[in-house]
Amino acid sequence: MRHSRAFWLFVGPFTAGLAIFVYLPIGWSVLLSFFDARNTVTPSTFVGFANYADMLTDASFLRSLGTFSLFALFVVPLTFVLALALALLVNGIRSMQAFFRSVFFMPFACSYVVASLVWKLSIFNGVRFGLANTVLGWFGAEPIAWTVSTSPPWYWLVLVTLRLWLQLGFYMILFIAGLQRIPRVLYEAASIDGASSGWQTLRFITLPQLRTTSVAVLLLLLVAAYQAFDEFYNVLGAGPFGRPPLLYLYNIALGSGGQDFGHGSAGAVILTLLIAGVTLAHGKVFAR
Amino acid sequence: MISRRRLLSASAATVLLAACGSNTGRGNGQALRQWYHAYGEPGVQQAVERYAKSYDKVPVEVQWNPGDYESKLATSLLSGTGPDVFESTLQISAVRSNQIVALDDVISSARDDFTATILAGHTVDGKVYGVPQAVDMQMLFYRKSMFAAAGLQPPSTVDELVEAARKLTSGGVKGLFAGNDGGAAVLGGPALWSAGLDYVTPEHQVGFDDPLAAQAIGKLRDLYSSGALLLGAVKDWAEPDAFTQGLVAMQWTGLWTVPAVQKALGDDFGVLPWPRLNDAGRPSVPVGAFGAMVNAKSSRIDEAKEFVRWLWVERADYQEDFNLSYGFHIPPRASLAAKAAKLQSGQAADAVKFVRDNAKSSNPPDWTSAMRTSYTDAVSRVIRDGAPADAELRTAVSKVRDELKRIYG
């Protein structure tokens, strides 16, 4: 009896919070997706799957889903490899390890909005005195409108560097934690068996031992790629180029007089199913 | 500045997301509650509080709302905790979902004195839902000295403008700045009006289902691809910095920048409406106004309406003070605009004339956000990506037609 009371004392508030602030809104959103819900969250006009049909034939929404699937395909491996490399480097040095860990982790503590503004307004602004354009100027090149140009789409350079700067440190820490869990005896045994300390140990000891961490990191990266919002919103605004699905849905349901919760919710459900599908597929592929 | 930018072009999106406060400011139940968004100019908050205080029939409690006013207001109207009186632009969806009440009896005595285009922006199905408070407008600013040095006349057609922008581009100076998206957000409307088209016709049909629209948008693409546009500026079109720093010979921006531009450039600038494309079109300036509205869920609609009538119709002196003592707006009442001292000469007088002769509603009530998104997306793709204008516009036309069918049947 006492056990159960303590259990609910600790778990209860959290569960209640989760139910009220997470599960209820999700459930409500699913409900709204079947109604014509404009300017109301208590709609009365049931429309079945009409909202879903609209969203699945909405060229802009499909385009943004496509764009971000491509984005995920590109940015997930890139972040993964760079974070792992950074972790191996930082973990390998003998002195000042804590210092470098903090230095690389620190950007993660920076607000996405603040970082976006720095990237947009000072590093990659399009006039001749922007940082990137100043550097180009040294080589006699013309200024580039980084966030505007669509051919070539330079804005991806801005957004990918920004995202890497913000996120690498976090995934690096996850990898370092993983690395430190690998028993040293494995390396010693490998060394005695004649494995070279470079590529061979990495390939046959480190990477297999990091498997669980890697799977978790990949999963987090995938979800984060589809949920991109802040930096895109702040760097690119609402235009049709590089517009994440969430930003499109935000405009429909909440932005500037939209208030179309039916279509917004339907889109959110579709996006959730897509993320869940990708995650399940990922689990299948990487399952032991 | 931020809120004004949103007022005139809701697709501009440099707005930081702000958390919605749960404190609705509900007082002792006695006072009428009135909401404003946070105006950037110093003194406005004190002014509106002073107006409210001098109303002697019922106490009025003013709430000043920094941050994302539009979302906060929408949420509060939805949940029934909203203010009795508030300022907003008019969306047809607010009327159709019975969120606001008609104010024809409030405005009655002064109806004809309000500038027609401005009042039309607050009218749905023939009924007025907002009493316009202050007019904002956009226009083309040009440097007289740069035009003189290049031997150019101020452009009176779109072709002349494209030509001038090209000729004035040299060295570190670009011809025109119309926003970092190449003008997609702010020039989409003027481009249609320049060809005698519009977003939506008075008969509730798509206003740009016409080959001329592709031609008009094509001109914006010409501007973009000619290299005459300034792109990627630190501040966007709503701030005059690119113009005052001499980075451009022309900039599309708003009336609100006139004092700053005057301070920086003295008399070395002029203002123009967006020129016409052809003989069917006319020069145009987009105008918008916040209007005072009454919440239909208020328990004191009559008192709220009476307060709005008193503040924005009866007290013309307050309207003049509100428009001209702090920022730089045009009073929506023609009689006040005509006699206000600050609007008698120079660029301000030109602006008043444009509002009288060339005004187009920057965001009509039945131009919904879904329509705006699809149209602006199409324009963006044409301007920045070189997508074929007729195909892109066809997609937008069909989307707008669907929306109109949903709204008007």
Side-chain angles (χ1 to χ4, degrees), chain A residues 64-65 68 225-229 232-233 242-249:
Chain A
S64 75
L65 284 183
F68 275 76
Y226 278 105
Q227 290 187 340
F229 185 95
F232 287 82
Y233 185 64
R243 177 170 52 199
L246 268 187
L247 181 45
Y248 187 65
L249 296 177

Side-chain angles (χ1 to χ4, degrees), chain A residues 155-240:
Chain A
Y155 55 89
W156 285 116
L157 177 74
V158 180
L159 289 159
V160 169
T161 50
L162 171 58
R163 203 173 179 81
L164 286 177
W165 184 77
L166 281 165
Q167 296 194 338
L168 271 186
F170 175 70
Y171 295 105
M172 177 199 74
I173 292 286
L174 294 188
F175 275 125
I176 288 181
L179 286 173
Q180 292 180 343
R181 265 190 41 232
I182 303 177
R184 297 233 55 90
V185 292
L186 287 178
Y187 291 101
E188 285 157 19
S191 158
I192 289 166
D193 286 349
S196 68
S197 65
W199 172 247
Q200 277 189 330
T201 34
L202 177 69
R203 167 71 183 81
F204 293 105
I205 310 281
T206 314
L207 291 185
Q209 288 290 322
L210 275 179
R211 191 190 174 87
T212 35
T213 313
S214 306
V215 172
V217 167
L218 271 182
L219 192 66
L220 289 175
L221 279 172
L222 266 176
V223 174
Y226 278 105
Q227 290 187 340
F229 185 95
D230 301 26
E231 75 271 39
F232 287 82
Y233 185 64
N234 285 292
V235 171
L236 295 180

Side-chain angles (χ1 to χ4, degrees), chain A residues 70-185:
Chain A
L70 207 66
F71 172 68
L73 219 57
F74 180 70
V75 84
V76 169
L78 187 68
T79 319
F80 183 88
V81 170
L82 290 179
L84 180 59
L86 214 54
L88 288 169
L89 284 176
V90 171
N91 201 43
I93 56 174
R94 290 184 206 291
S95 55
M96 309 231 314
Q97 212 189 82
F99 170 76
F100 281 109
R101 257 197 327 244
S102 319
V103 164
F104 288 121
F105 183 72
M106 233 181 285
F108 182 69
C110 178
S111 148
Y112 271 58
V113 176
V114 172
S116 304
L117 293 180
V118 172
W119 249 249
K120 176 185 177 180
L121 300 183
S122 84
I123 302 180
F124 287 109
N125 82 41
V127 290
R128 57 181 184 271
F129 45 76
L131 182 60
N133 281 334
T134 306
V135 174
L136 281 185
W138 295 339
F139 301 100
E142 284 291 303
I144 292 176
W146 299 98
T147 56
V148 186
S149 166
T150 61
S151 48
W154 286 116
Y155 55 89
W156 285 116
L157 177 74
V158 180
L159 289 159
V160 169
T161 50
L162 171 58
R163 203 173 179 81
L164 286 177
W165 184 77
L166 281 165
Q167 296 194 338
L168 271 186
F170 175 70
Y171 295 105
M172 177 199 74
I173 292 286
L174 294 188
F175 275 125
I176 288 181
L179 286 173
Q180 292 180 343
R181 265 190 41 232
I182 303 177
R184 297 233 55 90
V185 292

Side-chain angles (χ1 to χ4, degrees), chain A residues 38-39 63 126 148 150 243 259, chain B residues 74 78 180 232 377 384-385:
Chain A
R38 290 169 202 271
N39 290 48
R63 205 179 316 210
V148 186
T150 61
R243 177 170 52 199
Q259 304 275 313
Chain B
L78 209 61
N180 283 327
D377 280 6
R384 286 168 60 185
D385 230 9

Side-chain angles (χ1 to χ4, degrees), chain B residues 243-268:
Chain B
F243 188 62
T244 55
Q245 288 166 7
L247 295 175
V248 287
M250 294 181 274
Q251 182 179 337
W252 184 258
T253 181
L255 176 71
W256 55 88
T257 64
V258 165
V261 176
Q262 266 167 353
K263 203 169 154 196
L265 302 178
D267 223 14
D268 181 18

Side-chain angles (χ1 to χ4, degrees), chain A residues 38-40 63 113 120-121 125-128 145 147-148 150 233 238 240-241 243 250 254 256-259 261, chain B residues 10-11 14-17 68 70 74 78 91 93 97 99 172 180 231-232 234 369 372 377 380-381 384-385 406:
Chain A
R38 290 169 202 271
N39 290 48
T40 172
R63 205 179 316 210
V113 176
K120 176 185 177 180
L121 300 183
N125 82 41
V127 290
R128 57 181 184 271
T147 56
V148 186
T150 61
Y233 185 64
F241 303 104
R243 177 170 52 199
Y250 171 81
L254 304 167
S256 52
Q259 304 275 313
F261 299 113
Chain B
S11 45
T14 359
V15 177
L16 309 181
L17 289 169
D68 191 352
E70 219 170 334
L78 209 61
Q91 292 272 324
S93 56
S97 54
Q99 289 186 332
N180 283 327
L231 297 166
V234 175
S369 70
R372 195 169 51 223
D377 280 6
S380 277
R381 289 201 189 93
R384 286 168 60 185
D385 230 9
R406 178 180 66 77

